[in-house]
Amino acid sequence: MGNWLVNHWLSVLFLVSWLGLNIFLFVYAFLNYEKSDKYYYTREILGTALALARASALCLNFNSMMILIPVCRNLLSFLRGTCSFCNRTLRKPLDHNLTFHKLVAYMICIFTAIHIIAHLFNFERYRRSQQAMDGSLASVLSSLSHPEKEDSWLNPIQSPNMTVMYAAFTSIAGLTGVIATVALVLMVTSAMEFIRRNYFELFWYTHHLFIVYIVCLGIHGLGGIVRGQTEESMVESHPHNCSHSFHEWDNHEGSCRYPHFAGHPPESWKWILAPIAFYIFERILRFYRSQQKVVITKVVMHPSNVLELQMRKRGFSMEVGQYIFVNCPSISFLEWHPFTLTSAPEEEFFSIHIRAAGDWTRNLIRTFEQQHSPMPRIEVDGPFGTVSEDVFQYEVAVLVGAGIGVTPFASILKSIWYKFQRADNKLKTQKIYFYWICRETGAFAWFNNLLNSLEQEMEELGKMDFLNYRLFLTGWDSNIAGHAALNFDRATDILTGLKQKTSFGRPMWDNEFSRIATAHPKSVVGVFLCGPRTLSKSLRKCCQRYSSLDPRKVQFYFNKETF
C-alpha cells in the first residue's frame, strides 16, 4: 500500500481535493439555506428539505462542470505532451481520466437522488400547507399573494386542488428535472460494462443524451420555484420582527407589511458555460481533423476474423501506444470507435487491427471483404495519447497483452526493431518482458512476422537478452497439446513457427514477478497491460507485492491501457 501511495500520490491528492470541494460546497449551501434570514419564511413551509435540495443542486452544478473535462481527448493529449519531460507521477492522473469521469458520474447520480427526494418532500409540504385551514404561518404564506405584486407568491401550488404531479409536469423546473433524470438514468445504465462490451452501439448513442441533460440543467432554474424574501421586503418587514405577528400583515396601521418574494436566479448555466464552450471547440477540432483525406494503402485479413488496415494521412504524426478514432460513413455517420495503432512512428503509414467484437466491427470487416474497388471511405480522428507512451521511460518494461489487447505492444516492438536497426543510443530501456495471452492459436498469426523479425534482429546484433517473450494459449484441446508435446524437441514451435515455445494455460504471475525482481534488484520496472479487469487486479497486486520497501531497490509501476 505504501508503494502504491508513492506512485499515485498526485492522483490521490486530486481525488481528495475533488471530494473535499464536494463536501465544502454541500455544507456551505446547506448552512446558507438553513440559516439565512432570506429563506426564513420558505423554511417555515419546507423545513430542512429546502437546504438539502439546494445543497445537492450546487454539488450537481459543480460535478456537471467537471464531467466533460476528462473526455476532452485533445486537452489530455496536449497536457501529456507538455508533461512528456515531467516525472512519471505528474503524468499519472492523466491515465485515470475515464475512471475520474465515472466517479463524477456516480457523484452526479448520488446528488440527483438527494435532490429529487428532497424536492418530493418539498412539494408534499407545499401541498399540505396549501390545503391547511388551521391559520398557521405556513398556511398563510401558502395563500399569500400581494395585491400590488402578482409574482410575490411563495408556494408554487396555487390552489388546494392542484396535485404534486401536475405542478411538477407543468413547471419549467419540474419538467426539465424529469427529462434530465430520465436522460441520466439511460446514460448510466447503458454505460454498464456488459452493455458497453456487447452492445457498444447502444452505449454510444444513448451516451449522447448528455446533450439533453446539459440543456435541461441549464434551463432548470428558470422557473424560480425556490423563492426567498427580497432585500427591500426584509428592510421594511424583517422576519425576526414580523413572523410572530403575521395575522396583522393586512393591518395598514401596523409596522409589518406583506413580505415580497422572488425566485432564486438560475445559476447552473454559469457553471457549465465554460466547459460546454471548451467541449464545442474540442468537437469542432475533431470534426476538422476527421475530414482530412485518409488513403487506405493495404488491407489484410488475418486469422480469427481480424482486419488490418494500413493508411496514410497528410500531417499524421504518432508516438508508440497511441490510438485513433475511426468512422466509416457507409456503416454509420455518427459512430466513432477507438483502435490502438499497431504501426511504429518510424513507418511511413499507420495501421490498426480490428477484431469482430460487435455489430459495427462485423459490418466493417464484411464491407472490406465484399468490396474491392473503390475502397470504403474511412475517417480518422487522432492520434491521442495513452499510458503506453511512457514505456521507453523505464529501464525494464513488462508488456502484457490479452488477445487483441496486444495491439499497443505491437507498435512498441516495431519501434524497438527500427531503433536497433538505426543504432539508436538514446534508448533508455534495457530489457523487455513480453507476455501474450490468447484463447486460440490463430491469433498468434497476427504478429508472427514481427516477432520472427525481432528474433532475427536480436540474434544478429548479439542482444538476445533484450527481449524475453512468452506466448500463452488458454484455449486448447488434447490433440493440440499432444501434437505440441510430440514435437517439443524441434527448433521452432509447432504452433507459431517461432523459437520460443508456446505455453499452455495462464502465466503464474507470482513466479514471473519474483524472477524479474531477482534479475533486476535495483531497477524501475514499468508494467503495462491491455486486457481484462481480472488480469488487471492480479498484476496490480503483484506490482505492490514485489516492489521493495527500499526506494533504491526494485520498484514496479502498474499502467493499464484505457480509452
Side-chain angles (χ1 to χ4, degrees), residues 93-163:
L94 299 176
D95 303 331
H96 304 303
N97 62 308
L98 292 183
T99 301
F100 181 66
H101 178 73
K102 294 175 184 176
L103 288 175
V104 175
Y106 295 148
M107 190 67 79
I108 288 176
C109 292
I110 291 172
F111 285 120
T112 297
I114 296 173
H115 189 70
I116 291 173
I117 293 171
H119 269 317
L120 287 175
F121 278 101
N122 288 337
F123 271 98
E124 181 61 23
R125 293 287 295 271
Y126 275 137
R127 186 187 66 82
R128 289 184 180 180
S129 60
Q130 182 62 256
Q131 294 177 346
M133 305 295 291
D134 55 2
S136 63
L137 176 58
S139 65
V140 172
L141 289 169
S142 295
S143 60
L144 190 63
S145 180
H146 196 275
E148 297 177 3
K149 279 196 149 188
E150 294 182 0
D151 64 342
S152 191
W153 51 269
L154 182 59
N155 192 334
I157 297 182
Q158 296 288 297
S159 71
N161 297 325
M162 183 182 292
T163 64

Coordinates of all heavy atoms in Angstrom, one line a residue, residues 93-163:
P93 N -2.1 11.1 -13.2 CA -3.6 11.4 -13.2 C -4.2 11.4 -14.6 O -5.4 11.1 -14.7 CB -3.6 12.8 -12.5 CG -2.4 12.9 -11.7 CD -1.3 12.1 -12.4
L94 N -3.4 11.7 -15.6 CA -3.9 11.7 -17.0 C -4.3 10.3 -17.4 O -5.2 10.2 -18.3 CB -2.9 12.3 -17.9 CG -2.5 13.7 -17.7 CD1 -1.4 14.1 -18.7 CD2 -3.6 14.7 -17.8
D95 N -3.7 9.3 -16.8 CA -4.0 7.9 -17.2 C -5.4 7.4 -16.6 O -5.9 6.4 -17.0 CB -2.9 7.0 -16.7 CG -1.6 7.4 -17.3 OD1 -1.6 8.0 -18.4 OD2 -0.5 7.1 -16.7
H96 N -5.9 8.2 -15.6 CA -7.1 7.8 -14.9 C -8.3 8.7 -15.3 O -9.2 8.9 -14.5 CB -6.9 7.8 -13.4 CG -5.8 7.0 -12.9 ND1 -5.7 5.7 -13.2 CD2 -4.6 7.3 -12.2 CE1 -4.6 5.2 -12.6 NE2 -3.9 6.2 -12.1
N97 N -8.2 9.3 -16.5 CA -9.3 10.2 -16.9 C -10.7 9.6 -17.0 O -11.7 10.1 -16.5 CB -9.0 10.9 -18.3 CG -8.9 9.8 -19.4 OD1 -8.2 8.8 -19.3 ND2 -9.6 10.1 -20.5
L98 N -10.8 8.3 -17.5 CA -12.1 7.7 -17.6 C -12.6 7.2 -16.2 O -13.8 7.2 -16.0 CB -12.0 6.5 -18.6 CG -11.8 6.8 -20.0 CD1 -11.8 5.6 -20.9 CD2 -12.8 7.8 -20.5
T99 N -11.6 6.8 -15.4 CA -12.0 6.5 -14.0 C -12.6 7.7 -13.3 O -13.6 7.6 -12.6 CB -10.8 5.9 -13.2 OG1 -10.3 4.8 -13.9 CG2 -11.2 5.6 -11.8
F100 N -12.0 8.8 -13.5 CA -12.5 10.0 -12.8 C -13.8 10.4 -13.5 O -14.7 10.9 -12.7 CB -11.5 11.2 -13.0 CG -11.9 12.5 -12.4 CD1 -12.1 12.6 -11.0 CD2 -12.2 13.6 -13.1 CE1 -12.5 13.7 -10.4 CE2 -12.6 14.8 -12.6 CZ -12.8 14.8 -11.2
H101 N -14.0 10.3 -14.8 CA -15.2 10.5 -15.4 C -16.4 9.7 -14.8 O -17.5 10.2 -14.6 CB -15.1 10.2 -16.9 CG -16.3 10.4 -17.7 ND1 -16.8 11.6 -18.1 CD2 -17.2 9.5 -18.3 CE1 -17.9 11.5 -18.8 NE2 -18.2 10.2 -18.9
K102 N -16.1 8.4 -14.6 CA -17.1 7.5 -14.0 C -17.4 8.0 -12.5 O -18.6 7.9 -12.1 CB -16.6 6.1 -14.0 CG -16.5 5.5 -15.4 CD -15.8 4.1 -15.3 CE -15.6 3.6 -16.7 NZ -14.9 2.3 -16.7
L103 N -16.3 8.3 -11.8 CA -16.6 8.8 -10.4 C -17.4 10.0 -10.3 O -18.3 10.1 -9.5 CB -15.2 9.0 -9.7 CG -14.4 7.8 -9.4 CD1 -13.0 8.3 -8.8 CD2 -15.1 6.9 -8.4
V104 N -17.2 11.0 -11.2 CA -18.0 12.2 -11.3 C -19.5 11.8 -11.7 O -20.4 12.4 -11.1 CB -17.4 13.2 -12.3 CG1 -18.4 14.4 -12.5 CG2 -16.1 13.6 -11.9
A105 N -19.6 10.9 -12.6 CA -21.0 10.4 -12.9 C -21.7 9.8 -11.8 O -22.9 10.0 -11.5 CB -20.9 9.4 -14.1
Y106 N -21.0 9.0 -11.0 CA -21.6 8.4 -9.8 C -22.0 9.5 -8.8 O -23.1 9.4 -8.1 CB -20.6 7.4 -9.1 CG -20.3 6.2 -10.0 CD1 -19.1 5.6 -9.9 CD2 -21.2 5.6 -10.8 CE1 -18.8 4.5 -10.7 CE2 -21.0 4.5 -11.6 CZ -19.7 3.9 -11.5 OH -19.4 2.9 -12.3
M107 N -21.1 10.5 -8.6 CA -21.4 11.6 -7.7 C -22.7 12.3 -8.2 O -23.5 12.7 -7.4 CB -20.2 12.5 -7.6 CG -20.3 13.5 -6.5 SD -20.3 12.7 -4.8 CE -18.6 12.4 -4.6
I108 N -22.8 12.5 -9.5 CA -24.0 13.2 -10.0 C -25.2 12.4 -9.7 O -26.3 12.9 -9.3 CB -23.8 13.4 -11.6 CG1 -22.8 14.5 -11.8 CG2 -25.2 13.7 -12.2 CD1 -22.5 14.7 -13.3
C109 N -25.1 11.1 -9.8 CA -26.3 10.2 -9.5 C -26.7 10.3 -8.0 O -27.8 10.4 -7.7 CB -25.9 8.7 -9.8 SG -25.8 8.4 -11.6
I110 N -25.7 10.4 -7.2 CA -25.9 10.5 -5.7 C -26.6 11.8 -5.4 O -27.7 11.8 -4.7 CB -24.6 10.3 -4.9 CG1 -24.1 8.9 -5.0 CG2 -24.9 10.7 -3.5 CD1 -22.7 8.8 -4.4
F111 N -26.1 12.9 -5.9 CA -26.7 14.2 -5.6 C -28.0 14.4 -6.3 O -28.9 15.1 -5.8 CB -25.7 15.3 -6.0 CG -24.6 15.5 -5.0 CD1 -23.3 15.3 -5.4 CD2 -24.9 15.7 -3.7 CE1 -22.2 15.4 -4.5 CE2 -23.8 15.9 -2.7 CZ -22.5 15.7 -3.1
T112 N -28.2 13.7 -7.5 CA -29.5 13.8 -8.2 C -30.6 13.1 -7.3 O -31.7 13.6 -7.2 CB -29.4 13.1 -9.5 OG1 -28.5 13.8 -10.4 CG2 -30.8 13.0 -10.2
A113 N -30.2 11.9 -6.7 CA -31.1 11.2 -5.9 C -31.5 12.1 -4.6 O -32.7 12.2 -4.3 CB -30.5 9.9 -5.4
I114 N -30.5 12.7 -4.0 CA -30.8 13.6 -2.9 C -31.7 14.7 -3.3 O -32.6 15.1 -2.6 CB -29.5 14.1 -2.3 CG1 -28.6 12.9 -1.7 CG2 -29.7 15.1 -1.2 CD1 -27.2 13.3 -1.2
H115 N -31.4 15.3 -4.4 CA -32.1 16.5 -4.9 C -33.6 16.1 -5.2 O -34.5 16.8 -4.8 CB -31.5 17.0 -6.2 CG -32.0 18.3 -6.7 ND1 -31.8 19.5 -6.0 CD2 -32.8 18.6 -7.8 CE1 -32.4 20.5 -6.7 NE2 -33.0 20.0 -7.7
I116 N -33.8 15.0 -5.8 CA -35.2 14.5 -6.1 C -35.9 14.2 -4.9 O -37.1 14.7 -4.7 CB -35.1 13.3 -7.1 CG1 -34.6 13.7 -8.5 CG2 -36.5 12.7 -7.2 CD1 -34.4 12.6 -9.4
I117 N -35.3 13.5 -4.0 CA -36.0 13.1 -2.7 C -36.4 14.3 -1.9 O -37.5 14.4 -1.4 CB -35.2 12.1 -1.9 CG1 -35.0 10.8 -2.7 CG2 -35.8 11.9 -0.5 CD1 -34.0 9.8 -2.1
A118 N -35.4 15.3 -1.8 CA -35.7 16.5 -1.1 C -36.8 17.3 -1.7 O -37.7 17.8 -1.0 CB -34.4 17.3 -1.0
H119 N -36.9 17.4 -3.0 CA -37.9 18.1 -3.6 C -39.3 17.4 -3.6 O -40.3 18.0 -3.6 CB -37.6 18.4 -5.1 CG -36.9 19.7 -5.2 ND1 -37.2 20.9 -4.6 CD2 -35.8 20.1 -6.0 CE1 -36.4 21.9 -4.9 NE2 -35.5 21.4 -5.8
L120 N -39.3 16.1 -3.5 CA -40.5 15.3 -3.3 C -41.1 15.7 -2.0 O -42.3 15.9 -1.8 CB -40.3 13.8 -3.4 CG -40.0 13.3 -4.8 CD1 -39.7 11.8 -4.7 CD2 -41.2 13.5 -5.7
F121 N -40.3 15.8 -0.9 CA -40.7 16.3 0.4 C -41.2 17.7 0.3 O -42.2 18.1 0.9 CB -39.6 16.1 1.4 CG -39.5 14.7 2.0 CD1 -38.5 13.9 1.5 CD2 -40.4 14.3 3.0 CE1 -38.4 12.6 2.0 CE2 -40.3 13.0 3.5 CZ -39.3 12.2 3.0
N122 N -40.5 18.5 -0.5 CA -40.8 19.9 -0.6 C -42.2 20.1 -1.2 O -43.0 20.9 -0.7 CB -39.8 20.7 -1.4 CG -38.5 20.9 -0.7 OD1 -38.5 20.8 0.6 ND2 -37.4 21.1 -1.4
F123 N -42.5 19.4 -2.3 CA -43.7 19.5 -3.0 C -44.9 19.0 -2.1 O -46.0 19.6 -2.1 CB -43.7 18.8 -4.3 CG -43.3 19.6 -5.5 CD1 -41.9 19.6 -5.9 CD2 -44.1 20.5 -6.1 CE1 -41.5 20.4 -6.9 CE2 -43.7 21.3 -7.2 CZ -42.4 21.2 -7.6
E124 N -44.6 18.0 -1.4 CA -45.6 17.4 -0.5 C -45.9 18.5 0.7 O -47.1 18.7 1.0 CB -45.2 16.1 0.1 CG -46.2 15.5 1.1 CD -47.5 15.1 0.4 OE1 -47.5 15.0 -0.8 OE2 -48.5 15.0 1.1
R125 N -44.9 19.1 1.2 CA -45.1 20.1 2.2 C -45.8 21.3 1.6 O -46.7 22.0 2.3 CB -43.7 20.6 2.8 CG -43.0 19.5 3.6 CD -43.6 19.3 4.9 NE -43.6 20.4 5.8 CZ -42.6 20.7 6.6 NH1 -41.5 19.8 6.7 NH2 -42.6 21.7 7.4
Y126 N -45.5 21.7 0.4 CA -46.2 22.8 -0.3 C -47.7 22.4 -0.4 O -48.6 23.3 -0.2 CB -45.7 23.0 -1.7 CG -44.4 23.9 -1.8 CD1 -43.4 23.5 -2.6 CD2 -44.4 25.1 -1.1 CE1 -42.3 24.4 -2.7 CE2 -43.3 25.9 -1.2 CZ -42.2 25.6 -2.0 OH -41.1 26.4 -2.1
R127 N -48.0 21.2 -0.8 CA -49.4 20.8 -1.0 C -50.2 20.8 0.4 O -51.3 21.3 0.4 CB -49.4 19.4 -1.6 CG -50.9 18.9 -1.9 CD -50.8 17.4 -2.4 NE -50.5 16.6 -1.3 CZ -51.3 16.1 -0.4 NH1 -52.6 16.5 -0.4 NH2 -50.9 15.3 0.6
R128 N -49.5 20.3 1.4 CA -50.2 20.2 2.7 C -50.4 21.6 3.3 O -51.5 21.9 3.8 CB -49.3 19.4 3.7 CG -49.3 17.9 3.4 CD -48.5 17.2 4.5 NE -48.5 15.7 4.2 CZ -47.9 14.9 5.0 NH1 -47.2 15.3 6.1 NH2 -47.9 13.6 4.7
S129 N -49.4 22.5 3.1 CA -49.6 23.8 3.7 C -50.7 24.6 2.9 O -51.4 25.5 3.4 CB -48.3 24.6 3.6 OG -47.8 24.7 2.3
Q130 N -50.8 24.3 1.6 CA -51.9 25.0 0.8 C -53.3 24.5 1.2 O -54.2 25.3 1.1 CB -51.6 24.7 -0.7 CG -52.6 25.3 -1.7 CD -52.5 26.8 -1.6 OE1 -53.4 27.5 -1.0 NE2 -51.5 27.4 -2.2
Q131 N -53.3 23.2 1.6 CA -54.6 22.7 2.0 C -55.0 22.9 3.4 O -56.1 22.7 3.8 CB -54.7 21.2 1.7 CG -54.6 20.8 0.2 CD -54.5 19.3 0.0 OE1 -54.3 18.5 0.9 NE2 -54.8 18.9 -1.3
A132 N -54.0 23.4 4.2 CA -54.2 23.6 5.6 C -55.2 24.7 5.9 O -55.1 25.7 5.2 CB -52.9 23.9 6.3
M133 N -56.0 24.5 6.8 CA -57.0 25.5 7.2 C -56.9 25.9 8.7 O -57.8 26.5 9.3 CB -58.5 25.0 7.0 CG -58.7 24.4 5.6 SD -58.6 25.7 4.3 CE -60.1 26.7 4.8
D134 N -55.7 25.7 9.2 CA -55.5 25.9 10.7 C -55.0 27.4 11.0 O -54.8 27.7 12.2 CB -54.5 24.9 11.2 CG -53.2 24.9 10.5 OD1 -53.0 25.8 9.5 OD2 -52.3 24.1 10.8
G135 N -54.9 28.2 10.0 CA -54.4 29.6 10.2 C -53.0 29.7 10.6 O -52.6 30.7 11.2
S136 N -52.2 28.6 10.5 CA -50.8 28.7 10.8 C -50.0 29.6 9.9 O -50.5 30.0 8.8 CB -50.2 27.3 10.8 OG -50.3 26.7 9.5
L137 N -48.8 29.9 10.2 CA -47.9 30.8 9.4 C -47.7 30.1 8.0 O -47.8 30.8 7.0 CB -46.6 31.0 10.1 CG -45.6 31.9 9.3 CD1 -46.1 33.2 8.8 CD2 -44.3 32.0 10.1
A138 N -47.5 28.8 8.0 CA -47.3 28.1 6.7 C -48.5 28.2 5.8 O -48.4 28.4 4.6 CB -47.0 26.6 7.0
S139 N -49.7 28.1 6.4 CA -50.9 28.2 5.6 C -51.1 29.6 5.0 O -51.6 29.8 3.9 CB -52.1 27.7 6.3 OG -52.4 28.6 7.4
V140 N -50.8 30.6 5.9 CA -50.9 32.0 5.5 C -49.9 32.3 4.3 O -50.3 33.0 3.4 CB -50.7 32.9 6.7 CG1 -50.6 34.4 6.2 CG2 -51.8 32.8 7.7
L141 N -48.7 31.8 4.5 CA -47.7 32.0 3.5 C -48.1 31.4 2.1 O -47.8 31.9 1.1 CB -46.4 31.5 3.9 CG -45.7 32.3 5.1 CD1 -44.5 31.5 5.6 CD2 -45.2 33.6 4.6
S142 N -48.7 30.2 2.2 CA -49.1 29.5 1.0 C -50.2 30.2 0.2 O -50.3 30.1 -1.0 CB -49.6 28.0 1.4 OG -48.5 27.3 1.9
S143 N -51.1 30.9 1.0 CA -52.2 31.6 0.3 C -51.8 33.0 0.0 O -52.7 33.8 -0.5 CB -53.4 31.5 1.2 OG -53.2 32.2 2.5
L144 N -50.6 33.4 0.3 CA -50.2 34.8 0.1 C -50.0 35.2 -1.3 O -49.4 34.5 -2.1 CB -48.9 35.0 0.9 CG -48.4 36.4 1.0 CD1 -49.3 37.2 1.9 CD2 -47.0 36.4 1.7
S145 N -50.6 36.3 -1.7 CA -50.4 36.9 -3.0 C -50.6 38.4 -2.8 O -51.7 38.8 -2.7 CB -51.4 36.3 -4.0 OG -51.2 36.9 -5.3
H146 N -49.5 39.1 -2.9 CA -49.6 40.5 -2.6 C -50.4 41.2 -3.7 O -50.1 41.0 -4.9 CB -48.2 41.1 -2.5 CG -48.2 42.5 -1.8 ND1 -48.4 43.6 -2.6 CD2 -48.0 42.9 -0.5 CE1 -48.3 44.7 -1.7 NE2 -48.1 44.2 -0.5
P147 N -51.3 42.1 -3.3 CA -52.2 42.7 -4.4 C -51.4 43.6 -5.3 O -51.8 43.8 -6.4 CB -53.2 43.5 -3.5 CG -52.5 43.7 -2.2 CD -51.7 42.5 -2.0
E148 N -50.3 44.2 -4.8 CA -49.5 45.1 -5.7 C -48.5 44.3 -6.5 O -47.9 44.9 -7.5 CB -48.8 46.1 -4.8 CG -49.8 47.0 -4.1 CD -49.0 48.0 -3.2 OE1 -47.8 48.0 -3.2 OE2 -49.7 48.8 -2.4
K149 N -48.2 43.1 -6.2 CA -47.2 42.3 -6.9 C -47.8 40.9 -7.1 O -47.8 40.1 -6.2 CB -45.9 42.2 -6.1 CG -45.1 43.5 -6.3 CD -43.6 43.2 -5.8 CE -42.6 44.0 -6.6 NZ -41.3 43.5 -6.3
E150 N -48.1 40.6 -8.4 CA -48.7 39.3 -8.6 C -47.7 38.2 -8.5 O -48.1 37.0 -8.3 CB -49.3 39.3 -10.1 CG -50.5 40.3 -10.2 CD -51.1 40.2 -11.6 OE1 -50.6 39.4 -12.4 OE2 -52.1 40.9 -11.8
D151 N -46.4 38.4 -8.7 CA -45.5 37.4 -8.6 C -44.9 37.2 -7.2 O -43.9 36.5 -7.1 CB -44.3 37.7 -9.6 CG -43.6 38.9 -9.3 OD1 -44.1 39.7 -8.5 OD2 -42.4 39.1 -9.8
S152 N -45.5 37.8 -6.3 CA -44.9 37.7 -4.9 C -45.5 36.5 -4.1 O -45.7 36.6 -2.9 CB -45.3 39.0 -4.1 OG -44.5 39.1 -2.9
W153 N -45.7 35.4 -4.8 CA -46.1 34.2 -4.1 C -44.9 33.4 -3.6 O -43.8 33.6 -4.0 CB -47.0 33.4 -5.1 CG -46.2 33.1 -6.4 CD1 -46.4 33.9 -7.6 CD2 -45.3 32.1 -6.7 NE1 -45.6 33.4 -8.6 CE2 -44.9 32.3 -8.1 CE3 -44.8 31.0 -6.0 CZ2 -44.0 31.4 -8.7 CZ3 -43.9 30.2 -6.7 CH2 -43.5 30.4 -8.0
L154 N -45.2 32.5 -2.7 CA -44.2 31.7 -2.1 C -44.4 30.2 -2.4 O -43.4 29.5 -2.6 CB -44.1 31.9 -0.6 CG -43.0 31.2 0.1 CD1 -41.6 31.5 -0.4 CD2 -43.1 31.4 1.6
N155 N -45.6 29.8 -2.5 CA -46.0 28.4 -2.7 C -46.3 28.2 -4.2 O -47.3 28.8 -4.7 CB -47.2 28.0 -1.8 CG -47.4 26.5 -1.8 OD1 -47.0 25.8 -2.7 ND2 -48.0 26.0 -0.7
P156 N -45.6 27.4 -4.9 CA -45.9 27.2 -6.3 C -47.2 26.4 -6.6 O -47.8 26.5 -7.7 CB -44.7 26.3 -6.8 CG -44.2 25.6 -5.6 CD -44.4 26.6 -4.5
I157 N -47.7 25.7 -5.6 CA -49.0 25.0 -5.7 C -50.0 26.1 -5.3 O -50.2 26.4 -4.1 CB -49.1 23.8 -4.8 CG1 -48.0 22.8 -5.3 CG2 -50.5 23.2 -4.8 CD1 -48.0 21.5 -4.5
Q158 N -50.7 26.7 -6.3 CA -51.5 27.8 -6.1 C -52.9 27.6 -5.6 O -53.6 28.5 -5.1 CB -51.6 28.6 -7.4 CG -50.3 29.1 -7.9 CD -49.8 30.3 -7.1 OE1 -50.4 31.4 -7.0 NE2 -48.6 30.1 -6.4
S159 N -53.4 26.3 -5.6 CA -54.7 26.0 -5.2 C -54.8 24.7 -4.5 O -53.9 23.8 -4.8 CB -55.7 26.0 -6.3 OG -55.5 24.9 -7.2
P160 N -55.7 24.5 -3.6 CA -55.8 23.2 -2.8 C -56.1 22.0 -3.7 O -55.7 20.9 -3.4 CB -57.0 23.4 -1.9 CG -57.1 24.9 -1.7 CD -56.7 25.5 -3.1
N161 N -56.6 22.3 -4.9 CA -56.9 21.2 -5.8 C -55.8 20.8 -6.7 O -55.8 19.7 -7.4 CB -58.1 21.5 -6.7 CG -59.4 21.8 -5.9 OD1 -59.6 21.1 -4.9 ND2 -60.2 22.7 -6.3
M162 N -54.7 21.5 -6.8 CA -53.5 21.2 -7.6 C -52.7 20.1 -7.0 O -52.4 20.1 -5.8 CB -52.7 22.5 -7.8 CG -51.5 22.2 -8.7 SD -50.4 23.7 -8.9 CE -51.5 24.8 -9.7
T163 N -52.4 19.1 -7.8 CA -51.7 17.9 -7.3 C -50.2 18.2 -7.5 O -49.8 19.0 -8.3 CB -52.1 16.6 -8.1 OG1 -51.7 16.8 -9.5 CG2 -53.6 16.4 -7.9

